[in-house]
Amino acid sequence: MGPFVVGSKVLQVQSGVNFGDATNKNTDLDNFHVSSVVRFGLSERVEMSAVLAYSNIKTSLANYNEEQHTLTGLSAAQFGLRVNLLDGKGTSTSIGIQSRVKLNVLSEDFNPEKPGTASFISVGQPLGNGVGLTANLGLITPVSYTH
């Protein structure tokens, strides 16, 4: 995440697919994850965004006679804002904040008992010659899942 917004009246869709597997001596894990973030600029310094994700996660435990467990369905639904507080020019620092509400409208396997929040501050600093450093600090409210 960076400190900047998409710009006034700009619509941006970021989508991705993540899949893979991992195995150790006791556990096999297969995962498939599809997510999309839709960002819309309300002004040059403020945007709103929404996130939706679908996941399918399968685990097999070798110590339990190959017992399998699968989590599947809508795994994330968030809505929020990002504000660019300081738009650094040249060698100046840029600062932005983002906060989203994590909705509890997910599939049974992923749904938290109550909504939460995910809030971040992002600081960007140019270092010169097209190189920069971005750091993020976040606070995600704890949620407990029904499963």
Side-chain angles (χ1 to χ4, degrees), residues 18-85:
N18 180 13
F19 56 92
D21 61 76
T23 302
N24 66 29
K25 64 180 180 178
N26 297 320
T27 307
D28 289 327
L29 172 70
D30 293 313
N31 73 70
F32 175 77
H33 182 79
V34 178
S35 63
S36 286
V37 179
V38 177
R39 301 167 64 188
F40 181 74
L42 300 175
S43 72
E44 289 301 320
R45 292 191 177 260
V46 179
E47 74 179 31
M48 65 179 178
S49 61
V51 176
L52 284 176
Y54 170 88
S55 296
N56 184 297
I57 303 166
K58 296 178 185 176
T59 58
S60 299
L61 304 174
N63 290 346
Y64 298 96
N65 297 321
E66 298 297 325
E67 177 184 335
Q68 287 192 341
H69 187 67
T70 301
L71 304 173
T72 190
L74 184 63
S75 58
Q78 301 178 8
F79 182 78
L81 294 172
R82 183 183 301 184
V83 178
N84 175 239
L85 298 173

Side-chain angles (χ1 to χ4, degrees), residues 1-5 39 47 82-84 94-98 120-124 134-136:
M1 186 186 113
F4 299 105
V5 301
R39 301 167 64 188
E47 74 179 31
R82 183 183 301 184
V83 178
N84 175 239
S94 301
I95 300 174
I97 58 172
Q98 175 178 291
F120 297 88
I121 184 166
S122 181
V123 178
T134 300
N136 295 301

Side-chain angles (χ1 to χ4, degrees), residues 9-25:
K9 299 180 183 174
V10 174
L11 177 67
Q12 182 183 73
V13 179
Q14 301 168 206
S15 296
V17 176
N18 180 13
F19 56 92
D21 61 76
T23 302
N24 66 29
K25 64 180 180 178

